[in-house]
Amino acid sequence: RGFMGLALGPDGRRIELLPLGKLWIVSLNGSPHAVTKVPFEATSLAWSPDGTEVAWSAGVADHEDIFATNTVTGSTRRVTALPGRESYPAYSPDGRYLAFVHAQSDGVLRVIDAHTSNVTNQEQTRSLGSIGLTWTSPPQWSPESDGLLVSGEARVNQPSSGTFISLSAEKKTLTR
């Protein structure tokens, strides 16, 4: 009941869960344990590459913010507090950046320092440009941490596509 998220840890040996207003870790060789309480609407889990932190989003509809919780201590920091909705956090593989989708009237892919707190102004972010509101999966980092892949809009009888957006905001459309 109340299950809102699931993410496999970077070591492949732990799973993070968001059921019933708590952040849980389930070790493959141990018992599940609650790390901390979170709002019931918390969703969109993402592990940091070193496994010390997990990011998630929560808030009232269309006004969600990003939070990050230390997986050992359970302490949580607010990462973003921008107008609109911030969701789908994704840590870069090198651990330096945290990307997320910022939606107001449009969806914008933004990147910030992974260890920052209380981002309240868009100028504190790096905008990689509009991705619209019809993308079909959360942004995924390249293995080199130099850009993100965003899935294109799903259309009947058309090949799927995606866009690779580099950290310099250059876009490259990808097709089969």
Side-chain angles (χ1 to χ4, degrees), residues 52-117:
T52 62
E53 192 171 74
V54 63
W56 45 276
S57 63
V60 295
D62 296 324
H63 298 285
E64 294 96 329
D65 295 320
I66 304 286
F67 299 85
T69 299
N70 182 294
T71 58
V72 175
T73 67
S75 65
T76 298
R77 67 184 161 90
R78 178 184 294 264
V79 177
T80 65
L82 296 167
R85 175 183 183 209
E86 297 92 72
S87 58
Y88 301 106
Y91 287 93
S92 62
D94 65 10
R96 293 177 52 201
Y97 304 109
L98 186 64
F100 60 93
V101 176
H102 179 217
Q104 281 184 291
S105 59
D106 192 9
V108 175
L109 188 58
R110 296 189 183 280
V111 176
I112 56 175
D113 180 287
H115 307 289
T116 195
S117 297

Side-chain angles (χ1 to χ4, degrees), residues 3-9 15-19 26 43-47:
F3 184 75
M4 299 293 288
L6 172 74
L8 181 63
I15 299 169
E16 196 84 38
L17 305 166
L18 283 172
V26 179
T43 188
S44 302
L45 284 170
W47 283 85

Side-chain angles (χ1 to χ4, degrees), residues 79-158:
V79 177
T80 65
L82 296 167
R85 175 183 183 209
E86 297 92 72
S87 58
Y88 301 106
Y91 287 93
S92 62
D94 65 10
R96 293 177 52 201
Y97 304 109
L98 186 64
F100 60 93
V101 176
H102 179 217
Q104 281 184 291
S105 59
D106 192 9
V108 175
L109 188 58
R110 296 189 183 280
V111 176
I112 56 175
D113 180 287
H115 307 289
T116 195
S117 297
N118 293 316
V119 173
T120 58
N121 189 313
Q122 293 177 16
E123 284 74 39
Q124 294 173 278
T125 72
R126 180 186 306 179
S127 172
L128 299 186
S130 172
I131 60 170
L133 297 172
T134 57
W135 41 272
T136 57
S137 70
Q140 300 292 313
W141 280 95
S142 68
E144 297 81 19
S145 300
D146 62 351
L148 293 112
L149 176 67
V150 179
S151 300
E153 181 178 2
R155 295 184 181 144
V156 178
N157 297 325
Q158 288 189 5

